[in-house]
Amino acid sequence: MYYEPFSNGIQTTRTKDTKQLLFRRVDTSSKLTTVVNITYTNKLEIIVTYEDSCVSGSFFPAKLKLNQTPQQQINFQCKKSGRGYLFRRTANQLTSVQIKSDKFELKENFSEWPIDELKKDQFIQQHSNFFKGKGQSDVYEWSRD
């Protein structure tokens, strides 16, 4: 389901097991998926996957610029399935990300994403009984411990 009014390709969904809210953008032409969620320690997590066949555990290098930090060398690691590469990073805030490799280039401005909704949703999950008591019916209980 697309998150309104942010229907510029940003999708919202929940994990099946913990009902954790996450946002994602899928770029089929570049074979990229960018996912943003929140960790149980209240950090924002960005997960970038690149679809390609690979040898499990292998790497390929890329350059990362996250928010206003200096550019740094990173590695994408092939997933156990051998069907794609994965990179994860946590941060206290997300404003932008740029990743450049021989395989693709990704630029994302998170001002277009409803990032604050992630922290709000986590707070509601952690205090689900209070919000259910106020008549909010679509509240999920915290289940990530």
Side-chain angles (χ1 to χ4, degrees):
M1 159 171 123
Y2 287 93
Y3 190 88
E4 296 295 338
F6 300 97
S7 59
N8 59 355
I10 300 168
Q11 302 169 328
T12 184
T13 191
R14 289 192 181 273
T15 60
K16 288 182 181 180
D17 54 352
T18 63
K19 303 296 185 198
Q20 179 183 2
L21 182 66
L22 60 90
F23 299 123
R24 71 176 167 222
R25 185 190 314 263
V26 178
D27 181 350
T28 55
S29 64
S30 297
K31 300 180 183 178
L32 289 170
T33 302
T34 306
V35 173
V36 175
N37 63 34
I38 194 162
T39 68
Y40 70 93
T41 58
N42 265 345
K43 291 197 178 258
L44 294 165
E45 179 180 41
I46 180 171
I47 304 165
V48 179
T49 56
Y50 174 69
E51 185 182 326
D52 195 11
S53 59
C54 54
V55 176
S56 178
S58 64
F59 296 91
F60 77 81
K63 294 184 190 287
L64 168 73
K65 182 161 177 43
L66 183 63
N67 301 328
Q68 290 72 40
T69 61
Q71 188 177 58
Q72 57 184 290
Q73 187 74 27
I74 60 167
N75 286 309
F76 274 74
Q77 183 173 9
C78 181
K79 297 191 251 180
K80 289 181 184 179
S81 67
R83 294 185 179 181
Y85 292 91
L86 176 77
F87 171 75
R88 309 176 100 109
R89 182 64 54 97
T90 60
N92 291 326
Q93 65 172 346
L94 288 176
T95 55
S96 63
V97 67
Q98 295 178 22
I99 299 175
K100 188 172 184 177
S101 75
D102 292 341
K103 299 176 183 282
F104 64 85
E105 188 170 339
L106 169 70
K107 290 183 181 181
E108 194 67 65
N109 179 351
F110 291 109
S111 68
E112 300 171 357
W113 293 54
I115 299 292
D116 288 343
E117 291 295 317
L118 294 171
K119 290 187 177 188
K120 177 182 172 186
D121 186 75
Q122 178 165 313
F123 180 82
I124 291 171
Q125 281 189 7
Q126 289 173 322
H127 302 92
S128 59
N129 288 334
F130 173 81
F131 288 95
K132 285 179 182 176
K134 295 291 184 187
Q136 198 166 338
S137 61
D138 61 343
V139 173
Y140 298 99
E141 290 183 29
W142 180 259
S143 60
R144 289 187 263 167
D145 290 337

